[in-house]
Amino acid sequence: MMASCFPSLVARLLVSFFLILQCVVEGKVSGAVQPEKYDRFTAGFRPPSVPLVVVDPYFSVWSMAENLYDDVTRFWTGRPVNMSGMMSIDDAVYRFMSNEPFLPEESMKQVNVSVFPTQTVYTFQQDGVQLVLTFSTPAVWNYLYSFPVTFLSYYVRSVDGRNHTVRLYYDNSAEGTVSDNSHFVVWERVNVSQNYDTMRIGNFHQNYCYQSNDRIDWGYWFVQVAADPSVSTSMAFTELSRMSFITNSPLPPDDKNQPRPCDDMTPALAVAWDLGVVSPGITLSRSLTLAYDQVYSIKVILMKLLRQKLLRENQVNKPICKLPLTYLVCLLPVCILWRHHGGLSQG
Protein backbone atom coordinates (compact mmCIF):
# COMPACT_ATOMS: atom_id res chain seq x y z
CA MET A 1 0.00 0.00 0.00
CA MET A 2 2.79 2.38 0.94
CA ALA A 3 4.68 1.56 -2.25
CA SER A 4 1.64 2.29 -4.42
CA CYS A 5 0.91 5.59 -2.67
CA PHE A 6 4.48 6.87 -2.76
CA PRO A 7 4.61 7.79 -6.49
CA SER A 8 1.25 9.54 -6.19
CA LEU A 9 2.48 11.53 -3.18
CA VAL A 10 5.66 12.53 -5.00
CA ALA A 11 3.63 13.61 -8.03
CA ARG A 12 1.36 15.76 -5.87
CA LEU A 13 4.33 17.35 -4.13
CA LEU A 14 5.94 18.11 -7.49
CA VAL A 15 2.73 19.64 -8.81
CA SER A 16 2.40 21.76 -5.67
CA PHE A 17 6.02 22.85 -5.98
CA PHE A 18 5.62 23.96 -9.59
CA LEU A 19 2.37 25.77 -8.84
CA ILE A 20 4.11 27.72 -6.08
CA LEU A 21 7.07 28.35 -8.39
CA GLN A 22 4.72 29.65 -11.08
CA CYS A 23 3.15 32.10 -8.64
CA VAL A 24 6.60 33.38 -7.68
CA VAL A 25 7.82 33.56 -11.29
CA GLU A 26 4.74 35.43 -12.44
CA GLY A 27 5.46 38.00 -9.74
CA LYS A 28 2.05 39.60 -10.01
CA VAL A 29 1.82 43.04 -8.45
CA SER A 30 -1.79 43.35 -7.45
CA GLY A 31 -2.27 46.79 -5.97
CA ALA A 32 0.90 47.89 -7.70
CA VAL A 33 0.72 51.31 -6.12
CA GLN A 34 2.17 49.74 -2.97
CA PRO A 35 5.35 47.96 -4.15
CA GLU A 36 6.76 48.09 -0.62
CA LYS A 37 4.55 45.07 0.14
CA TYR A 38 6.88 43.00 -2.04
CA ASP A 39 10.21 44.25 -0.71
CA ARG A 40 10.65 41.04 1.27
CA PHE A 41 11.27 39.26 -2.04
CA THR A 42 13.85 41.78 -3.29
CA ALA A 43 15.34 43.27 -0.12
CA GLY A 44 18.79 44.62 -0.94
CA PHE A 45 18.64 43.40 -4.53
CA ARG A 46 19.68 46.08 -7.02
CA PRO A 47 21.00 44.75 -10.36
CA PRO A 48 23.66 46.82 -12.14
CA SER A 49 21.30 47.05 -15.11
CA VAL A 50 17.55 47.09 -14.63
CA PRO A 51 15.52 45.04 -17.14
CA LEU A 52 12.71 46.95 -18.82
CA VAL A 53 11.85 45.05 -22.01
CA VAL A 54 13.38 41.57 -22.04
CA VAL A 55 11.60 39.42 -24.61
CA ASP A 56 14.54 38.03 -26.61
CA PRO A 57 18.12 39.10 -27.49
CA TYR A 58 16.84 41.35 -30.29
CA PHE A 59 14.06 42.95 -28.23
CA SER A 60 15.95 43.83 -25.07
CA VAL A 61 15.94 47.26 -23.41
CA TRP A 62 17.60 48.08 -20.08
CA SER A 63 18.22 50.99 -17.73
CA MET A 64 21.92 51.19 -16.90
CA ALA A 65 21.66 54.14 -14.51
CA GLU A 66 20.82 54.60 -10.85
CA ASN A 67 17.55 56.33 -11.74
CA LEU A 68 15.41 55.74 -14.80
CA TYR A 69 15.75 59.41 -15.80
CA ASP A 70 19.56 59.63 -15.38
CA ASP A 71 20.36 58.14 -18.78
CA VAL A 72 18.76 56.97 -22.00
CA THR A 73 17.44 53.42 -22.09
CA ARG A 74 19.83 51.04 -23.80
CA PHE A 75 20.15 47.78 -25.67
CA TRP A 76 21.89 45.03 -23.72
CA THR A 77 25.15 45.88 -25.54
CA GLY A 78 24.95 49.46 -24.22
CA ARG A 79 23.81 51.08 -27.45
CA PRO A 80 20.98 53.63 -27.01
CA VAL A 81 17.47 52.38 -27.78
CA ASN A 82 15.52 55.29 -26.49
CA MET A 83 12.19 55.10 -24.69
CA SER A 84 11.06 58.21 -22.86
CA GLY A 85 8.34 59.18 -20.42
CA MET A 86 6.91 62.45 -19.10
CA MET A 87 4.17 63.49 -16.71
CA SER A 88 2.36 66.81 -16.45
CA ILE A 89 1.13 67.67 -12.94
CA ASP A 90 -0.99 70.81 -12.75
CA ASP A 91 0.68 72.04 -15.99
CA ALA A 92 4.21 71.48 -14.65
CA VAL A 93 5.96 68.88 -16.84
CA TYR A 94 8.56 66.43 -15.53
CA ARG A 95 10.41 63.53 -17.09
CA PHE A 96 10.63 60.14 -15.42
CA MET A 97 12.27 58.05 -18.16
CA SER A 98 15.35 59.00 -20.23
CA ASN A 99 17.39 62.20 -20.33
CA GLU A 100 17.43 62.73 -24.08
CA PRO A 101 17.17 66.18 -25.67
CA PHE A 102 13.78 67.86 -25.93
CA LEU A 103 12.74 66.49 -22.54
CA PRO A 104 12.20 68.66 -19.43
CA GLU A 105 15.33 69.33 -17.40
CA GLU A 106 13.47 68.70 -14.16
CA SER A 107 12.62 65.10 -13.31
CA MET A 108 10.27 63.41 -10.90
CA LYS A 109 11.88 61.92 -7.81
CA GLN A 110 12.44 58.18 -8.05
CA VAL A 111 11.71 56.73 -4.62
CA ASN A 112 11.89 53.00 -5.30
CA VAL A 113 12.69 50.32 -7.86
CA SER A 114 11.91 46.63 -7.38
CA VAL A 115 12.97 43.90 -9.79
CA PHE A 116 11.03 40.63 -9.95
CA PRO A 117 11.42 37.63 -12.27
CA THR A 118 8.95 38.98 -14.82
CA GLN A 119 8.39 42.57 -13.66
CA THR A 120 10.24 45.76 -12.87
CA VAL A 121 8.36 48.29 -10.75
CA TYR A 122 9.43 51.93 -10.46
CA THR A 123 7.87 54.41 -8.04
CA PHE A 124 8.09 58.17 -8.57
CA GLN A 125 6.67 61.06 -6.60
CA GLN A 126 6.34 64.77 -7.34
CA ASP A 127 4.07 67.65 -6.29
CA GLY A 128 1.75 65.42 -4.30
CA VAL A 129 1.32 62.82 -7.06
CA GLN A 130 2.67 59.27 -7.06
CA LEU A 131 3.39 57.35 -10.25
CA VAL A 132 4.04 53.61 -10.26
CA LEU A 133 5.43 52.42 -13.59
CA THR A 134 5.47 48.66 -14.17
CA PHE A 135 7.27 46.83 -16.98
CA SER A 136 5.77 43.33 -17.24
CA THR A 137 7.07 40.63 -19.59
CA PRO A 138 5.14 37.37 -19.07
CA ALA A 139 8.00 35.07 -20.08
CA VAL A 140 7.21 32.13 -17.79
CA TRP A 141 7.82 28.40 -18.02
CA ASN A 142 4.17 27.65 -18.76
CA TYR A 143 3.60 28.48 -22.43
CA LEU A 144 -0.12 29.01 -21.77
CA TYR A 145 0.74 32.18 -19.81
CA SER A 146 3.81 33.25 -21.75
CA PHE A 147 3.62 36.02 -24.36
CA PRO A 148 6.45 37.68 -26.36
CA VAL A 149 5.32 41.18 -25.39
CA THR A 150 5.97 43.75 -22.67
CA PHE A 151 3.19 45.64 -20.92
CA LEU A 152 3.80 49.14 -19.57
CA SER A 153 1.33 49.96 -16.81
CA TYR A 154 0.96 53.39 -15.23
CA TYR A 155 -0.74 53.84 -11.83
CA VAL A 156 -1.35 57.41 -10.70
CA ARG A 157 -2.77 58.64 -7.40
CA SER A 158 -2.80 61.74 -5.23
CA VAL A 159 -0.81 61.39 -2.01
CA ASP A 160 -1.32 64.85 -0.50
CA GLY A 161 -5.11 64.83 -0.19
CA ARG A 162 -5.62 67.31 -3.05
CA ASN A 163 -6.95 67.16 -6.60
CA HIS A 164 -4.40 67.29 -9.43
CA THR A 165 -4.71 67.46 -13.21
CA VAL A 166 -2.43 64.86 -14.77
CA ARG A 167 -1.25 63.97 -18.27
CA LEU A 168 1.11 61.14 -19.31
CA TYR A 169 3.44 60.71 -22.28
CA TYR A 170 5.42 57.83 -23.82
CA ASP A 171 7.51 57.51 -26.96
CA ASN A 172 10.13 55.27 -28.52
CA SER A 173 12.31 56.04 -31.51
CA ALA A 174 13.26 53.80 -34.43
CA GLU A 175 16.74 53.05 -33.04
CA GLY A 176 15.65 49.62 -31.86
CA THR A 177 14.79 48.45 -35.39
CA VAL A 178 18.07 49.08 -37.23
CA SER A 179 21.67 48.01 -36.73
CA ASP A 180 22.90 51.36 -38.06
CA ASN A 181 21.11 54.66 -37.52
CA SER A 182 21.85 55.69 -41.11
CA HIS A 183 19.48 53.00 -42.38
CA PHE A 184 16.12 54.09 -43.73
CA VAL A 185 12.98 53.43 -41.71
CA VAL A 186 9.25 53.44 -42.38
CA TRP A 187 6.20 53.56 -40.14
CA GLU A 188 2.48 52.96 -40.44
CA ARG A 189 -0.73 52.26 -38.56
CA VAL A 190 -1.99 48.69 -38.49
CA ASN A 191 -5.69 47.91 -38.40
CA VAL A 192 -5.75 45.14 -35.80
CA SER A 193 -9.02 45.99 -34.07
CA GLN A 194 -11.35 48.93 -33.67
CA ASN A 195 -10.73 48.70 -29.94
CA TYR A 196 -6.99 49.31 -30.26
CA ASP A 197 -4.72 51.88 -31.83
CA THR A 198 -1.69 50.05 -33.25
CA MET A 199 1.46 51.60 -34.73
CA ARG A 200 4.63 50.02 -36.05
CA ILE A 201 8.04 51.18 -37.22
CA GLY A 202 10.87 49.29 -38.89
CA ASN A 203 13.65 49.13 -41.46
CA PHE A 204 12.68 50.07 -45.00
CA HIS A 205 14.79 47.22 -46.40
CA GLN A 206 13.51 44.03 -44.82
CA ASN A 207 16.45 41.69 -45.43
CA TYR A 208 15.50 38.84 -43.14
CA CYS A 209 18.29 36.99 -41.33
CA TYR A 210 20.89 38.27 -43.78
CA GLN A 211 23.49 39.34 -41.22
CA SER A 212 25.17 38.13 -38.05
CA ASN A 213 24.89 40.99 -35.59
CA ASP A 214 23.93 41.70 -32.00
CA ARG A 215 21.37 44.17 -33.33
CA ILE A 216 18.43 43.26 -35.52
CA ASP A 217 18.03 44.97 -38.87
CA TRP A 218 14.61 43.70 -39.90
CA GLY A 219 11.13 43.33 -38.46
CA TYR A 220 8.87 45.93 -36.84
CA TRP A 221 8.53 47.49 -33.39
CA PHE A 222 4.85 47.67 -32.41
CA VAL A 223 3.11 49.97 -29.93
CA GLN A 224 -0.51 49.24 -29.13
CA VAL A 225 -2.86 51.15 -26.85
CA ALA A 226 -6.55 50.76 -26.12
CA ALA A 227 -8.67 53.23 -28.08
CA ASP A 228 -10.06 55.78 -25.67
CA PRO A 229 -11.16 59.44 -25.83
CA SER A 230 -8.38 60.33 -23.39
CA VAL A 231 -5.57 58.91 -25.54
CA SER A 232 -3.84 60.33 -28.60
CA THR A 233 -1.09 58.81 -30.72
CA SER A 234 1.35 60.10 -33.29
CA MET A 235 4.12 58.93 -35.63
CA ALA A 236 6.28 61.99 -36.18
CA PHE A 237 9.59 63.73 -35.50
CA THR A 238 10.56 63.06 -31.88
CA GLU A 239 11.12 66.74 -31.06
CA LEU A 240 7.71 67.76 -32.37
CA SER A 241 5.88 65.12 -30.35
CA ARG A 242 7.69 65.97 -27.13
CA MET A 243 7.35 69.72 -27.50
CA SER A 244 3.64 69.31 -28.25
CA PHE A 245 3.15 67.49 -24.97
CA ILE A 246 5.27 69.96 -23.00
CA THR A 247 3.27 72.91 -24.35
CA ASN A 248 -0.04 71.09 -23.77
CA SER A 249 -0.79 71.04 -27.50
CA PRO A 250 -2.24 68.17 -29.54
CA LEU A 251 0.30 65.65 -30.77
CA PRO A 252 1.42 66.38 -34.35
CA PRO A 253 -0.22 64.58 -37.29
CA ASP A 254 1.51 61.50 -38.67
CA ASP A 255 4.65 62.37 -40.62
CA LYS A 256 4.38 61.42 -44.30
CA ASN A 257 8.04 62.05 -45.12
CA GLN A 258 9.17 58.45 -45.40
CA PRO A 259 11.28 56.46 -45.84
CA ARG A 260 14.13 58.44 -44.35
CA PRO A 261 17.29 57.69 -42.32
CA CYS A 262 16.70 56.86 -38.69
CA ASP A 263 19.01 59.70 -37.61
CA ASP A 264 17.36 62.27 -39.91
CA MET A 265 14.64 63.98 -37.85
CA THR A 266 14.36 60.74 -35.89
CA PRO A 267 10.77 59.49 -36.04
CA ALA A 268 9.07 58.12 -32.95
CA LEU A 269 5.88 56.35 -31.97
CA ALA A 270 4.25 58.56 -29.34
CA VAL A 271 1.31 58.09 -26.97
CA ALA A 272 -0.25 60.72 -24.70
CA TRP A 273 -3.03 60.37 -22.14
CA ASP A 274 -5.09 63.12 -20.54
CA LEU A 275 -6.12 61.64 -17.19
CA GLY A 276 -8.04 64.72 -16.13
CA VAL A 277 -8.41 65.25 -12.39
CA VAL A 278 -6.83 62.73 -10.02
CA SER A 279 -8.71 62.87 -6.72
CA PRO A 280 -7.54 61.59 -3.32
CA GLY A 281 -8.33 57.94 -2.67
CA ILE A 282 -8.64 57.10 -6.39
CA THR A 283 -5.98 55.36 -8.47
CA LEU A 284 -6.10 55.90 -12.22
CA SER A 285 -4.33 53.46 -14.50
CA ARG A 286 -3.32 53.33 -18.14
CA SER A 287 -1.31 50.79 -20.11
CA LEU A 288 0.24 50.06 -23.48
CA THR A 289 1.76 47.01 -25.14
CA LEU A 290 5.17 46.73 -26.80
CA ALA A 291 5.99 43.93 -29.22
CA TYR A 292 8.51 43.15 -31.93
CA ASP A 293 7.55 41.17 -35.02
CA GLN A 294 10.70 39.67 -36.53
CA VAL A 295 8.61 38.14 -39.36
CA TYR A 296 11.36 35.56 -39.87
CA SER A 297 13.46 34.51 -36.89
CA ILE A 298 15.41 31.41 -37.96
CA LYS A 299 17.24 30.48 -41.13
CA VAL A 300 17.82 26.77 -41.65
CA ILE A 301 21.56 26.67 -42.39
CA LEU A 302 21.42 23.15 -43.83
CA MET A 303 18.88 24.21 -46.46
CA LYS A 304 21.01 27.21 -47.44
CA LEU A 305 24.19 25.12 -47.78
CA LEU A 306 22.34 22.43 -49.70
CA ARG A 307 20.90 24.94 -52.14
CA GLN A 308 24.35 26.46 -52.72
CA LYS A 309 25.79 23.01 -53.47
CA LEU A 310 22.95 22.19 -55.85
CA LEU A 311 23.47 25.50 -57.64
CA ARG A 312 27.16 24.77 -58.09
CA GLU A 313 26.31 21.38 -59.58
CA ASN A 314 23.44 22.72 -61.73
CA GLN A 315 20.99 20.36 -60.03
CA VAL A 316 18.71 22.85 -58.32
CA ASN A 317 15.98 22.52 -60.97
CA LYS A 318 16.07 18.72 -61.22
CA PRO A 319 13.01 16.74 -60.10
CA ILE A 320 13.30 15.64 -56.48
CA CYS A 321 13.23 11.95 -57.47
CA LYS A 322 16.39 12.38 -59.56
CA LEU A 323 18.52 14.05 -56.88
CA PRO A 324 21.39 12.01 -55.41
CA LEU A 325 20.48 9.91 -52.37
CA THR A 326 22.90 11.92 -50.17
CA TYR A 327 20.90 15.10 -50.74
CA LEU A 328 17.61 13.39 -49.99
CA VAL A 329 19.01 12.04 -46.70
CA CYS A 330 20.08 15.59 -45.78
CA LEU A 331 16.62 16.91 -46.57
CA LEU A 332 14.77 14.31 -44.51
CA PRO A 333 15.46 15.67 -40.97
CA VAL A 334 14.78 19.22 -42.15
CA CYS A 335 11.41 18.19 -43.57
CA ILE A 336 10.52 16.35 -40.36
CA LEU A 337 11.39 19.36 -38.22
CA TRP A 338 9.54 21.66 -40.59
CA ARG A 339 6.38 19.59 -40.38
CA HIS A 340 6.64 19.17 -36.60
CA HIS A 341 7.13 22.87 -35.85
CA GLY A 342 4.90 24.24 -38.57
CA GLY A 343 7.73 25.97 -40.43
CA LEU A 344 11.06 26.79 -38.83
CA SER A 345 11.64 29.95 -40.82
CA GLN A 346 8.64 31.81 -39.51
CA GLY A 347 8.83 33.69 -36.19
Side-chain angles (χ1 to χ4, degrees):
M1 181 68 176
M2 180 64 70
S4 62
C5 291
F6 183 72
S8 176
L9 178 61
V10 172
R12 291 182 181 182
L13 289 175
L14 286 174
V15 170
S16 300
F17 170 76
F18 282 114
L19 286 175
I20 295 172
L21 179 63
Q22 180 179 356
C23 293
V24 174
V25 170
E26 286 180 353
K28 293 182 178 178
V29 184
S30 57
V33 293
Q34 296 178 339
E36 61 274 7
K37 292 167 54 180
Y38 302 90
D39 283 349
R40 64 183 182 275
F41 296 116
T42 59
F45 175 64
R46 175 59 169 85
S49 291
V50 178
L52 305 178
V53 179
V54 188
V55 175
D56 60 40
Y58 283 147
F59 194 33
S60 180
V61 185
W62 300 69
S63 173
M64 301 182 180
E66 183 67 23
N67 299 299
L68 188 57
Y69 45 74
D70 286 343
D71 189 19
V72 298
T73 55
R74 297 180 180 273
F75 192 57
W76 62 267
T77 61
R79 181 175 174 177
V81 178
N82 193 62
M83 300 162 56
S84 71
M86 292 184 283
M87 173 180 274
S88 171
I89 305 172
D90 299 326
D91 295 329
V93 183
Y94 306 92
R95 59 185 169 87
F96 56 83
M97 180 163 57
S98 184
N99 66 346
E100 261 210 329
F102 316 121
L103 291 173
E105 292 187 6
E106 193 169 357
S107 61
M108 301 183 70
K109 181 181 179 182
Q110 180 178 311
V111 297
N112 187 64
V113 56
S114 298
V115 180
F116 305 98
T118 60
Q119 287 187 322
T120 295
V121 183
Y122 281 95
T123 304
F124 305 91
Q125 194 162 308
Q126 187 73 37
D127 296 347
V129 174
Q130 182 190 74
L131 167 66
V132 174
L133 174 61
T134 302
F135 296 84
S136 304
T137 304
V140 296
W141 66 275
N142 190 331
Y143 71 92
L144 293 176
Y145 304 108
S146 184
F147 298 95
V149 299
T150 294
F151 302 102
L152 268 67
S153 302
Y154 304 80
Y155 302 89
V156 181
R157 68 172 182 172
S158 172
V159 293
D160 64 355
R162 299 179 180 179
N163 292 336
H164 298 278
T165 57
V166 175
R167 294 182 296 119
L168 282 169
Y169 175 89
Y170 164 88
D171 75 33
N172 68 258
S173 66
E175 295 168 327
T177 65
V178 291
S179 61
D180 189 311
N181 287 345
S182 64
H183 291 182
F184 283 66
V185 293
V186 291
W187 51 92
E188 65 177 346
R189 294 184 181 272
V190 183
N191 185 17
V192 175
S193 168
Q194 293 182 349
N195 298 324
Y196 293 94
D197 192 351
T198 306
M199 305 174 288
R200 75 174 187 177
I201 193 167
N203 199 322
F204 176 62
H205 300 287
Q206 292 287 315
N207 297 317
Y208 306 113
C209 308
Y210 82 101
Q211 66 175 15
S212 297
N213 198 324
D214 289 333
R215 293 290 302 274
I216 198 168
D217 210 26
W218 65 91
Y220 299 92
W221 183 309
F222 281 77
V223 175
Q224 185 180 78
V225 62
D228 184 87
S230 68
V231 67
S232 58
T233 59
S234 176
M235 302 180 293
F237 180 28
T238 307
E239 179 182 358
L240 287 179
S241 298
R242 293 175 181 175
M243 293 307 298
S244 296
F245 180 82
I246 292 173
T247 58
N248 198 12
S249 303
L251 292 183
D254 293 347
D255 194 334
K256 305 299 183 183
N257 180 23
Q258 58 172 310
R260 68 169 182 253
C262 177
D263 55 6
D264 178 13
M265 298 179 64
T266 303
L269 308 181
V271 180
W273 293 273
D274 187 348
L275 275 62
V277 177
V278 179
S279 302
I282 297 177
T283 299
L284 299 182
S285 64
R286 295 293 186 272
S287 64
L288 60 84
T289 304
L290 303 179
Y292 202 99
D293 181 11
Q294 297 181 20
V295 187
Y296 291 93
S297 301
I298 300 175
K299 178 178 288 186
V300 182
I301 299 176
L302 180 60
M303 291 291 288
K304 182 179 180 180
L305 295 177
L306 179 60
R307 178 172 176 80
Q308 290 174 347
K309 185 172 180 61
L310 292 176
L311 283 171
R312 287 196 300 269
E313 299 181 8
N314 295 320
Q315 294 181 331
V316 71
N317 293 320
K318 283 189 176 182
I320 190 73
C321 59
K322 293 185 178 181
L323 289 177
L325 180 61
T326 305
Y327 299 157
L328 297 180
V329 172
C330 291
L331 279 172
L332 182 60
V334 175
C335 294
I336 294 174
L337 286 172
W338 188 279
R339 180 177 178 83
H340 179 69
H341 293 286
L344 281 176
S345 292
Q346 294 193 6

